Amino acid sequence: MSSYRAPLKDLRFALYDVLDVEPLFARLGFADANAELVDAVLEEAGRFTTQVLAPLNRVGDEQGCTLDAATGEVTTPAGFKAAYAQFAEGGWTGLTAATELGGQGLPHTVGVPLSEMINAANLAWGNFPLLSHGAIEALKDHGQPWQQEVFLKPLVEGRWTGTMCLTEPHCGTDLGLLRTRAEPLGQDTYAVTGTKIFITAGEHDLTENIVHLVLAKLPDAPAGPKGISLFVVPKFKVARDGSVGARNAVRCGSIEHKMGIKGSVTCVLNFDGAEGYLVGQPHKGLQAMFTMMNTARLGVGLQGIGLSDRAYQNALRYARERLQTRSLSGPKAPDKPADPIIVHPDVRRMLLTVKSLVEGSRLLALHAGTLIDLAQHAADPVERQNADVLVSFLTPISKACQTEWGIENTYHALQCFGGHGYIHEHGMEQLARDARITTLYEGTTGIQSLDLMGRKTAATGAAGLKLFLEMVEGFVREHQGDAVLSPFTDALQLKAREWAQLTTEILERAKQDPEEIGAASTDYLFYSGYVVLAYWWARSVAAANASQHDAEFVQAKLETARFYFARILPRTAMHAAAIRSGAAPLMAMDQARFGDA
Amino acid sequence: MSSYRAPLKDLRFALYDVLDVEPLFARLGFADANAELVDAVLEEAGRFTTQVLAPLNRVGDEQGCTLDAATGEVTTPAGFKAAYAQFAEGGWTGLTAATELGGQGLPHTVGVPLSEMINAANLAWGNFPLLSHGAIEALKDHGQPWQQEVFLKPLVEGRWTGTMCLTEPHCGTDLGLLRTRAEPLGQDTYAVTGTKIFITAGEHDLTENIVHLVLAKLPDAPAGPKGISLFVVPKFKVARDGSVGARNAVRCGSIEHKMGIKGSVTCVLNFDGAEGYLVGQPHKGLQAMFTMMNTARLGVGLQGIGLSDRAYQNALRYARERLQTRSLSGPKAPDKPADPIIVHPDVRRMLLTVKSLVEGSRLLALHAGTLIDLAQHAADPVERQNADVLVSFLTPISKACQTEWGIENTYHALQCFGGHGYIHEHGMEQLARDARITTLYEGTTGIQSLDLMGRKTAATGAAGLKLFLEMVEGFVREHQGDAVLSPFTDALQLKAREWAQLTTEILERAKQDPEEIGAASTDYLFYSGYVVLAYWWARSVAAANASQHDAEFVQAKLETARFYFARILPRTAMHAAAIRSGAAPLMAMDQARFGDA
């Protein structure tokens, strides 16, 4: 079975040395969130995830969830319920929620390492509390006062969990097609009827109630995406005084048999005139949904990092233990029958690929966390606005790249095990199967790419990109003439300028042909991701040099950065060439000529 | 469930229009192997694989194989045994074996499409007959006359199957470490004792006997790889007159629980003084093993193509059926609620990636097939020798690239399905799980890369590369001034020359530091694969233009080639940059600095 230890040292480096969060938290009014407290939280989170959740990871995969077809009730794998109770009791569900809602009032940034560790320890389990965050955000921003009063506290305290009910059999991305309808019953109450699929944590035995946030159409709804409204539909009805009543008419019809995340339940939910309450304005459901989705997307991005880190730790251990063939440059462990495979350059290539992507992604994710805190708490409205623009720009990059890298990283880590990686015993194949969902749910990589290229770039005059490039130029200026840094800052600056140039080229071409947006999108997303990580690697080198960390740690950051710039950043050349080849090679072929299917 | 149809049209194009095999077969003495006969074989193979094997693919995944721990006997999934009987009865096991052994005496090349179709239809099932080929080759080339007499015919006729027993718990790649020993019992008979793991088809109920080819050490064996001998150890003992006797002391101790290919059995085999017969000379087992392995490696390469083609067909069907969002350039199916997703450029990018890799790989694999026929049957010894050198060079490229692309292709195809790809129902996730083994067994991608860079390039003065580059230059010369072809031949020539240049650079650097070989190897392998496919795509365009095929088919080849050159070939830039960055970024880091595991 694969093991997991919490990466506390690197998390601390990222938070304090690179992102310098302590003064930031103080400035944003989180008076208590000093390094001492944050450290204590990280350590406790490390203990909970490694000791309680990690041992249940394989159990979840082997047992899966089971549906009692007669009652529509779902049983989670052995140990999941007790772990969840401990999680809620420990106050983890409300770590970053406001104290007036029963939360602990810590910065959003502090929740990021918690999520990473949960995902590394037990991704499937982590999906049960995951979507509560989105439900909380949606209700906080768009719910009526009584809804906030009644639903938020139990969600924050983890007594209830939330879901996002968007997808239907015939519509995923294209929510304008949805058919679930809501008939008014008076007093903002509606009868919701329809079938929703792929509902994560749609039914389970962990909590006494489940709060579904459901997209549906009112009788007078305009056609398409502008006719969608959002409803809160609890499993057990909830009165305006907060009292929980009868079972609502929503029922789990079946659960999916999936490639992985078997411990997580994926439900078909049948709403049969279920009592629901309108959230926000009629026909304005999409806006509230985006609130939920952005939260969920950053959360799924963290799944990629968590899985990657666990995969790395296990591959590294195996590469140090497994003895196989001698180094080409002479024996490295002459007292043993063969050398550990970590001496072989191709094994190092795989390990360093994972290491550089994990540690770089960690900074991308934590930086996004700080931007959310800034967007919510900065005193200066311009700073708030800029943080919001930048995190909106980084969200699709973070979600898509971190999950695609999660697939790549679990691939490399499994590959380090040779044939042993393919059998259940070592747990590596579970990580690979679990990772495979992350580029699909909460918007596929293709959808993230369109969001980045369309809504976040073309539609904003590349506002987010400009903010990021300013950070890059500022960093480069700050380190001008630094001999250790210049190999990194020189390369970074070149790539950042090419990034801006590519953006201009695409937007220019798109004026002639709108298909240029979609044709460039995925390569543009990856290009962006690699430059963003180059920035964080350059900053990591600078921060490590300026830090009090031991020489080995500082040296490891320098060497990993060198690897990243030598071996990973050149991927941008391939993406730039693909972008510049334009839409024609994709669009020329008539549908019929793709072949027989 | 995923469906499959035999790609007969493209196979015919590859065989007749691109590779022009009909005159080749005639020249090599295969008098009967004209297009009419080969077509009949392809059609019948298409019928058998699609009608008999394909429906069992999901059954195999769901049921798996089961071991009776009390008897050590393995039961295969329902229908596997009957399908195998039909396969053997139809003469498929001996399709390309010599007629004097009971085979059909067809060119090796004709067996290649059969393997591709078997792998597409049911990879797990295909693993039962797969390793018989290697056993046949090893016995034909190295067996004593009585062994050939006794074992070859039942293997060719499919009454028995073969295995390759190499791996032990502590040694995979590094066979010099193996511990299985063989004690002489007189008369070339030995008592073989040891534990072998990962033995594909090591035990099953499809045939009355199983012929294990086992690597073991004689008592006087020198240490390391030069002390390994090869033995044939049948499940039921076989006398020199061919009569089958008592059960031998080899027993399946357990079977592995794997990520995929669940219908295929992977055994731990315990040899407990089992009667075995020395094959070839003492201590010369590795040579015979390489005979088996090369055959098996090309066979595994075909698994990547088969899975990719099946994945493509299903993704294409889904992309034409699934309606979701409108094209950015205006509705393409205005009569429907949304456009089929095949209109979206990013979906096209995924489909065309798979299509171009599948059709290109098919030519790489079939070309390797013709080289094997040439190496065995050409009248001119120089031609035989060159064919052997070239196929040896192409074998690691073919095995590793086709399987890595198999993983990539099943990834893209699953991605086209969105969340639906992740659930069992559509069968796409099975293809992805099945594909994951192919870059591991019969030598990982890293091992193929070292074979290519070391044994097949550094050790031969790049003899294979030179032969391939001559083909490229010849083709380019032949089409000089051809306006349709020049975009392809110009780019191909540039890349081919860079390939030669990179080879020189690596070999030059390796003189100073042997680690440069391993550091460059995997990127060099991919670089090679992409140039090889560029050659086949350029030749496909030329062949399509010169053919009698319908205009749509010709146009599709042209458009796919354009896509390949615009969107896939630029990957070489990334690999070239990685190669040129040298060994230092990989080797600098001390083992301890990789982190905590």
Side-chain angles (χ1 to χ4, degrees), chain A residues 107-252:
Chain A
H108 181 87
T109 307
V110 180
V112 173
L114 171 66
S115 293
E116 183 197 315
M117 289 188 262
I118 290 173
N119 292 322
N122 196 329
L123 179 66
W125 184 93
N127 271 348
F128 288 98
L130 176 70
L131 297 179
S132 296
H133 294 286
I136 291 169
E137 296 296 319
L139 288 166
K140 225 172 55 181
D141 292 0
H142 307 281
Q144 302 175 42
W146 78 266
Q147 293 169 345
Q148 297 179 342
E149 191 68 33
V150 159
F151 289 106
L152 283 179
K153 228 169 161 184
L155 283 168
V156 166
E157 292 172 356
R159 289 185 285 119
W160 302 350
T161 60
T163 74
M164 286 167 58
C165 298
L166 282 49
T167 305
E168 300 184 7
H170 64 291
C171 74
T173 299
D174 193 353
L175 290 167
L177 301 173
L178 66 80
R179 292 179 192 147
T180 297
R181 59 188 199 279
E183 306 279 343
L185 300 171
Q187 259 216 322
D188 274 353
T189 302
Y190 295 81
V192 176
T193 302
T195 300
K196 296 287 182 179
I197 65 167
F198 295 165
I199 308 308
T200 298
E203 181 55 66
H204 59 76
D205 56 5
L206 303 186
T207 56
E208 60 204 33
N209 206 358
I210 300 171
V211 181
H212 304 293
L213 283 148
V214 185
L215 292 183
K217 287 187 170 175
L218 292 166
D220 61 343
K226 289 184 176 150
I228 297 172
S229 305
L230 182 67
F231 301 85
V232 55
V233 183
K235 176 179 173 184
F236 288 93
K237 294 180 198 175
V238 182
R240 290 180 185 221
D241 64 0
S243 62
V244 176
R247 186 71 167 82
N248 210 343
V250 49
R251 190 188 158 102
C252 176

Side-chain angles (χ1 to χ4, degrees), chain B residues 80-96:
Chain B
F80 271 40
K81 190 180 163 98
Y84 184 84
Q86 207 176 324
F87 183 70
E89 221 162 88
W92 295 110
T93 53
L95 186 70
T96 62

Side-chain angles (χ1 to χ4, degrees), chain A residues 172 174 257 312 320 324-325 329 346 348 404 411 422 424 433 439 515 522 559 589 591 593-594, chain B residues 172 174 257 312 320 324-325 329 346 348 404 411 415 422 424 433 515 522 559 586 591 593-594:
Chain A
D174 193 353
H257 299 281
Y312 178 71
R320 283 174 172 150
Q324 209 75 183
T325 76
S329 56
D346 197 57
R348 290 172 156 254
E404 293 282 353
Y411 167 85
Y422 197 65
H424 288 321
R433 283 186 290 107
T439 67
E515 300 293 10
T522 295
E559 286 164 349
M589 192 178 280
Q591 288 181 34
R593 287 198 292 274
F594 277 76
Chain B
D174 193 353
H257 299 281
Y312 179 71
R320 283 175 173 150
Q324 209 75 183
T325 76
S329 57
D346 197 58
R348 290 172 158 254
E404 293 282 353
Y411 167 85
Q415 193 74 13
Y422 198 65
H424 288 321
R433 283 186 289 109
E515 301 291 10
T522 295
E559 287 164 348
L586 299 178
Q591 288 182 33
R593 287 198 293 273
F594 277 76

